[in-house]
């Protein structure tokens, strides 16, 4: 859940926190085996075995309501890049985050005894992360926290919303081209629409009408897909006639193992819900895989074959390098990408359409037979992409 420390006690109790407010005890006093894994020790009676977590994903690291963004070198024009500052001789993460929140800035940067606030901009993009050890100077006001240095800033994102990319409207004049945002279901189409709307400032449309998406703020959902008032149109269609009715397309491709599970969850649990255990263990899941797995392949093959001016974007690349991939997508849409707006999108990237990762399945739902069939489809799609001089599917698609 994003805490820095995990404390295990009495064989079966788990505690989380950002601070350790207790003295060291002898290791021999942590003498109780873990209930779920007898070979490991889980504290003792009133004794905690404590672990410090190193979380790779920056967005997973939280400090209260603030999100940890990383360690960064001080920007050249620091007083312009981070315009509000305060000297804090008793510095702590809480104090700096609270100060920047009060000043209504989304970034809080700790520089030793100086707290600075600002927005992500071209002067301070948050793209060049440094080794965290360079920021590991202890806080004056909290010995178990790091507060950065004058040269290396420790940055947190506050709960203040960056409003530079929140305005959205319909196109002022009818679109000259109909651009599809095409994907197999479960490949992140709704998330991509959220990103495109923030990046361009224009509503996206849909080949369908989904009232729940309209109510969540996708106002282009209600327009007919040919209205010309939206920047691109969501579609899961894959027939020649449907594909040829678009002038261009962004084709979003996702690892089929992940896409199939996401669509199964959506089908039985809604846009951000989850399928029940009974659905995974019943006949629904194998039937779903048998019907949908071939479609995952034919969807991409059809768009590559019949689509005009197709830009392939891998969901995994979009997650890993949002800024660069979004620049490509916005470029195809014919919009001049404003860099500050794209940097704003990076801070608002999740939106309301990200499933919580807290309810992942505790087992692999794919049988060896399913995996064998899906691997064949992956190879077919990989070959088709390479024949068009495109990079093939990302490495993590297989082996599985």
């Amino acid at each position: 859940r994003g805490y820095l420390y995990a404390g295990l006690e009495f064989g079966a109790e788990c505690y989380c926190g950002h601070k350790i407010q207790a003295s060291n005890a002898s290791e021999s006093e942590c003498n109780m085996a873990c209930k779920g894994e007898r070979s490991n020790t889980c504290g003792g009676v009133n004794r905690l075995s404590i672990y410090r977590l190193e979380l790779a994903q920056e967005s997973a690291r939280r400090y209260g309501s603030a999100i940890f963004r990383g360690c960064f070198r001080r920007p050249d024009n620091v007083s312009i890049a981070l315009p509000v500052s305060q000297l804090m001789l008793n510095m702590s993460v809480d104090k700096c985050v609270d100060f920047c929140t009060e000043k209504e800035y989304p970034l809080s940067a700790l520089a030793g005894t100086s707290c600075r606030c600002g927005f992500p901009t071209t002067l301070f993009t948050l793209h060049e992360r440094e080794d965290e050890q360079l920021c590991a100077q202890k806080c004056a006001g909290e010995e178990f926290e790091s507060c950065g240095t004058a040269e290396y800033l420790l940055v947190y994102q506050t709960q203040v919303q960056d409003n530079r990319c929140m305005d959205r409207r319909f196109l002022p004049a009818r679109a000259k081209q109909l651009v599809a945002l095409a994907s197999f279901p479960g490949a992140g189409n709704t998330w991509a629409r959220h990103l495109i709307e923030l990046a361009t400032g224009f509503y996206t449309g849909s080949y369908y009408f989904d009232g729940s998406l309209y109510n969540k703020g996708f106002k282009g959902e209600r327009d007919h897909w040919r209205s010309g008032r939206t920047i691109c149109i969501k579609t899961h269609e894959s027939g020649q006639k449907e594909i040829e009715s678009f002038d261009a397309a962004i084709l979003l491709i996702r690892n089929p193992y992940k896409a199939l599970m996401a669509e199964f969850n959506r089908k039985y649990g809604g846009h951000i819900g989850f399928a029940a255990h009974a659905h995974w263990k019943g006949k629904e899941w194998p039937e779903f895989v048998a019907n949908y797995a071939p479609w995952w392949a034919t969807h991409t093959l059809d768009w590559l074959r019949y689509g005009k001016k197709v830009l392939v974007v891998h969901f995994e690349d979009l997650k890993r390098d949002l800024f660069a991939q979004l620049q490509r997508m916005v470029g195809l849409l014919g919009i001049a990408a404003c860099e500050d707006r794209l940097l704003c999108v990076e801070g608002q990237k999740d939106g309301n359409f990200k499933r919580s990762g807290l309810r992942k399945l505790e087992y692999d739902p794919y049988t060896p037979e399913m995996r064998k069939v899906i691997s064949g489809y992956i190879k077919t799609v990989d070959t088709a992409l390479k024949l068009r001089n495109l990079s093939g599917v990302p490495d993590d698609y297989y082996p599985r």
Side-chain angles (χ1 to χ4, degrees):
R1 301 206 174 195
Y3 288 100
L4 201 54
Y5 295 102
L8 296 79
E9 183 181 353
F10 207 63
E13 295 175 10
C14 175
Y15 296 90
C16 312
H18 286 296
K19 301 171 186 176
I20 305 168
Q21 293 174 307
S23 55
N24 279 356
S26 165
E27 259 189 68
S28 63
E29 294 177 53
C30 287
N31 53 16
M32 296 186 75
C34 302
K35 301 283 190 213
E37 199 170 27
R38 295 279 173 188
S39 58
N40 280 332
T41 303
C42 283
V45 179
N46 295 324
R47 294 293 180 268
L48 291 146
S49 301
I50 294 181
Y51 292 83
R52 187 181 193 278
L53 283 98
E54 294 294 339
L55 296 164
Q57 249 186 312
E58 72 195 46
S59 60
R61 290 268 292 273
R62 287 185 173 270
Y63 193 97
S65 60
I67 297 170
F68 177 74
R69 294 298 297 269
C71 177
F72 301 90
R73 186 186 291 273
R74 169 187 160 135
D76 291 337
N77 300 312
V78 69
S79 57
I80 300 171
L82 299 164
V84 173
S85 67
Q86 172 116 333
L87 184 67
M88 294 183 176
L89 297 176
N90 202 24
M91 172 75 96
S92 72
V93 177
D94 273 347
K95 287 187 177 72
C96 190
V97 167
D98 287 349
F99 172 72
C100 294
T101 301
E102 189 183 310
K103 296 292 182 184
E104 298 190 357
Y105 282 95
L107 293 186
S108 169
L110 292 82
T113 54
S114 175
C115 172
R116 292 188 169 274
C117 318
F119 291 93
T121 63
T122 49
L123 292 173
F124 195 49
T125 61
L126 302 186
H127 289 164
E128 306 294 326
R129 294 179 74 176
E130 302 286 350
D131 185 331
E132 251 181 81
Q133 288 305 310
L134 294 169
C135 287
Q137 181 174 295
K138 285 184 179 177
C139 295
E142 186 55 69
E143 67 168 312
F144 291 109
E145 294 174 0
S146 295
C147 274
T149 70
E151 285 305 309
Y152 292 96
L153 316 183
L154 209 53
V155 178
Y156 289 83
Q157 186 172 315
T158 73
Q159 285 294 288
V160 175
Q161 191 172 59
D162 187 345
N163 287 319
R164 295 173 301 164
C165 58
M166 300 309 288
D167 59 301
R168 288 168 294 165
R169 59 196 173 105
F170 288 103
L171 291 171
R174 188 179 171 86
K176 293 186 176 66
Q177 58 172 0
L178 283 176
V179 182
L181 177 62
S183 74
F184 175 77
N189 200 303
T190 304
W191 180 54
R193 287 177 70 186
H194 163 76
L195 297 174
I196 288 167
E197 291 195 359
L198 294 186
T200 64
F202 296 115
Y203 288 121
T204 58
S206 177
Y207 198 77
Y208 320 98
F209 171 67
D210 186 326
S212 71
L213 291 182
Y214 178 83
N215 292 335
K216 285 279 189 180
F218 287 96
K219 300 304 178 190
E221 192 74 20
R222 191 176 272 178
D223 268 39
H224 187 274
W225 65 279
R226 282 190 177 276
S227 73
R229 296 206 307 157
T230 54
I231 193 73
C232 64
I233 297 104
K234 162 192 173 172
T235 179
H236 298 312
E237 302 303 308
S238 55
Q240 180 179 355
K241 183 183 169 191
E242 287 81 0
I243 292 170
E244 288 179 345
S245 60
F246 290 97
D247 302 303
I250 295 167
L251 176 59
L252 193 60
I253 304 173
R254 185 182 188 185
N255 183 325
Y257 292 104
K258 301 282 180 67
L260 289 166
M261 289 176 73
E263 176 57 9
F264 190 70
N265 274 321
R266 188 206 64 80
K267 198 173 173 70
Y268 289 98
H271 278 286
I272 54 173
F274 292 85
H277 188 73
H279 292 133
W280 292 100
K281 287 295 191 184
K283 66 182 191 314
E284 294 94 340
W285 171 243
E287 284 178 1
F288 176 86
V289 172
N291 291 324
Y292 277 67
W295 180 21
W296 176 84
T298 58
H299 182 278
T300 295
L301 298 175
D302 280 1
W303 277 94
L304 291 174
R305 182 178 177 187
Y306 302 119
K308 309 164 199 166
K309 200 178 169 188
V310 176
L311 174 72
V312 173
V313 176
H314 292 284
F315 174 86
E316 295 74 19
D317 292 341
L318 189 58
K319 276 183 76 175
R320 193 190 73 255
D321 192 0
L322 185 95
F323 190 86
Q325 296 301 323
L326 207 45
Q327 264 188 322
R328 293 175 68 224
M329 293 158 76
V330 170
L332 182 87
L333 297 170
I335 302 286
C338 166
E339 283 199 35
D340 279 2
R341 192 169 183 115
L342 290 177
L343 291 167
C344 167
V345 177
E346 285 188 309
Q348 319 284 333
K349 60 187 177 187
D350 287 346
N352 297 320
F353 291 92
K354 188 177 182 211
R355 276 186 188 85
S356 160
L358 300 177
R359 276 190 53 190
K360 288 180 179 167
L361 281 182
E362 292 175 4
Y363 59 92
D364 182 351
Y366 293 99
T367 63
E369 293 76 21
M370 289 175 182
R371 285 197 289 274
K372 186 177 177 185
V373 170
I374 292 169
S375 285
Y377 294 136
I378 290 171
K379 285 179 179 130
T380 303
V381 168
D382 188 53
T383 302
L385 289 167
K386 286 173 178 170
L387 282 172
R388 285 158 182 80
N389 293 321
L390 299 166
S391 58
V393 300
D395 293 340
D396 67 352
Y397 281 29
Y398 58 87
R400 188 183 159 81

